[in-house]
Amino acid sequence: MLHFVKNIQTVDGLISNLYKDITIPEMTKKITDIFEMQGYKVIDQQFGNLILEKGNRTARLLLGAFVKYYKFSLTMTPNTENELTVNVFQQSSGISGGLIGMNQIKTELNRLNFVFANI
């Protein structure tokens, strides 16, 4: 069952989506499961907040765009009428990979927008 209702906002470095009929613990479990299958690690988890990371930061700094590194933070806020707002923030700029690295981050954020629309 899809819980996704609509995309509230998508700008550089931010995705904001609205979901219905799902709680924060259920959404946290879904997000964690989906992203662990895609190679992300949850490096920090608090109630309604997650930080997801993929790749190696040190290798990215040394080798630039040859090594992929992504870091995103998520916040979940309950609304009225059993709704949940999920905000995804870009935490790494990709600048250590130059223009190619910055483009990799934008591409990954667009891909994540599609992934979150299918939850």
Side-chain angles (χ1 to χ4, degrees):
M1 178 180 157
L2 281 177
H3 298 283
F4 178 76
V5 175
K6 67 178 180 177
N7 179 276
I8 299 170
Q9 182 178 19
T10 302
V11 294
D12 283 342
L14 168 68
I15 300 169
S16 185
N17 291 334
L18 183 65
Y19 298 88
K20 192 165 185 79
D21 299 326
I22 191 164
T23 63
I24 290 176
E26 292 170 339
M27 181 61 91
T28 301
K29 175 97 172 91
K30 279 185 179 256
I31 290 170
T32 302
D33 291 346
I34 289 169
F35 281 88
E36 283 181 350
M37 286 189 320
Q38 296 178 16
Y40 278 86
K41 295 179 288 187
V42 177
I43 59 171
D44 188 22
Q45 180 177 349
Q46 299 170 358
F47 186 75
N49 296 313
L50 294 169
I51 296 179
L52 301 166
E53 186 177 54
K54 181 178 182 179
N56 186 316
R57 174 95 175 117
T58 306
R60 175 66 174 234
L61 289 171
L62 293 173
L63 301 172
F66 295 110
V67 176
K68 293 188 177 175
Y69 174 75
Y70 306 114
K71 186 175 181 180
F72 297 97
S73 65
L74 284 78
T75 60
M76 295 174 243
T77 310
N79 297 343
T80 58
E81 301 175 20
N82 204 22
E83 293 179 339
L84 184 68
T85 302
V86 177
N87 296 312
V88 181
F89 299 97
Q90 171 185 321
Q91 294 296 315
S92 60
S93 65
I95 200 139
S96 58
L99 290 175
I100 295 170
M102 291 169 50
N103 194 35
Q104 287 173 342
I105 294 288
K106 285 182 182 180
T107 303
E108 181 69 3
L109 196 60
N110 289 334
R111 190 187 72 78
L112 291 183
N113 196 10
F114 178 76
V115 170
F116 277 97
N118 290 303
I119 293 179

